[in-house]
């Protein structure tokens, strides 16, 4: 028969377990950040949309349209990243979301993304956002009035490659961990 723990140890452990609720305000803050990101997205659409329908002088060029689309995709990826962190973090560290498991709108990954999966989704999103930033920078090269900051471009490429290498290493570590015996 298992030895009964002292009441102080049991009370301490219960307090530690309840402390997970201190994370709830962080997730509420991420909801507010998602609202903020939505506001920026709407502002960008409101800025670019009228320009898309101007003909003749002052019209939007193909390069400008691509840059506008990349900006919107970038914001969308950042929003997806926030949702992944919000849902997965809450479910992994605070409490399960009490939703109908068979609800038609429930994403299939909800409730099944563990910390390892969350890491991979995060790094993949960061790599995609970094790639879009670099692509936007490269598209401006050679445009009139655009001064190429070679040091900034080099750092951008190095940082992006660091994100890519980190993602590959994280995936490799997860793969190795999945092949080892659990202790």
């Amino acid at each position: 028969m298992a030895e009964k723990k002292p009441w102080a140890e049991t009370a301490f452990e219960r307090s530690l377990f309840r402390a997970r609720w201190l994370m709830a305000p962080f997730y509420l803050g991420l909801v507010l950040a998602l609202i903020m990101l939505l506001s920026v997205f709407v502002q960008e659409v409101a800025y670019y949309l009228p320009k898309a329908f101007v003909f003749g002088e002052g019209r939007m060029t193909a390069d400008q349209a691509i840059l506008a689309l990349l900006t919107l995709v970038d914001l969308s990826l950042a929003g997806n990243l926030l949702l992944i962190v919000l849902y997965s973090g809450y479910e992994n560290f605070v409490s399960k979301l009490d939703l109908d498991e068979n609800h038609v709108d429930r994403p299939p990954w909800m409730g099944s993304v563990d910390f390892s999966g969350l890491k991979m989704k995060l790094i993949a999103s960061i790599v995609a956002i970094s790639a879009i930033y670099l692509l936007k920078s490269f598209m401006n090269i050679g445009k009139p009035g655009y001064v190429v900051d070679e040091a900034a471009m080099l750092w951008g490429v190095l940082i992006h490659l660091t994100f890519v290498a980190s993602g590959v290493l994280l995936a490799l570590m997860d793969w190795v961990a999945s092949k080892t015996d659990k202790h």
Side-chain angles (χ1 to χ4, degrees):
M1 186 163 93
E3 185 178 325
K4 185 171 166 107
K5 290 183 179 182
W7 72 268
E9 183 179 353
T10 301
F12 178 71
E13 289 174 356
R14 286 186 178 152
S15 295
L16 283 179
F17 185 67
R18 289 182 184 119
R20 74 191 189 282
W21 285 100
L22 294 173
M23 288 300 298
F26 288 87
Y27 296 114
L28 181 59
L30 289 179
V31 170
L32 296 175
L34 191 59
I35 292 168
M36 179 185 72
L37 198 59
L38 173 63
S39 172
V40 172
F41 184 88
V42 169
Q43 289 173 37
E44 291 291 320
V45 169
Y47 176 79
Y48 287 118
L49 194 60
K51 293 177 181 292
F53 296 103
V54 171
F55 296 96
E57 189 69 31
R59 70 178 178 83
M60 182 183 269
T61 65
D63 284 351
Q64 290 170 331
I66 290 170
L67 287 172
L69 291 174
L70 288 173
T71 298
L72 297 177
V73 168
D74 198 22
L75 289 169
S76 174
L77 286 172
N80 291 339
L81 181 63
L82 275 173
L83 280 179
I84 290 168
V85 172
L86 181 68
Y87 291 151
S88 298
Y90 184 84
E91 283 205 330
N92 280 313
F93 302 113
V94 179
S95 180
K96 294 290 178 199
L97 292 169
D98 291 327
L99 303 173
D100 180 13
E101 293 296 321
N102 297 319
H103 193 280
V104 68
D105 289 335
R106 184 182 174 95
W109 56 266
M110 262 182 87
S112 64
V113 176
D114 60 1
F115 187 68
S116 176
L118 177 59
K119 250 186 340 194
M120 294 314 298
K121 287 183 181 302
L122 284 172
I123 195 69
S125 295
I126 290 168
V127 166
I129 290 167
S130 173
I132 289 173
Y133 172 81
L134 277 179
L135 183 58
K136 286 167 57 176
S137 298
F138 291 149
M139 287 187 67
N140 285 321
I141 293 174
K143 289 189 177 173
Y146 182 77
V147 178
V148 176
D149 184 347
E150 291 180 19
M153 295 293 266
L154 177 64
W155 278 110
V157 170
L158 290 174
I159 290 168
H160 177 71
L161 291 175
T162 301
F163 289 148
V164 171
S166 297
V168 170
L169 289 174
L170 285 171
L172 182 62
M173 288 187 313
D174 284 348
W175 180 77
V176 168
S178 73
K179 299 295 180 194
T180 60
D181 291 333
K182 303 292 183 210
H183 296 197

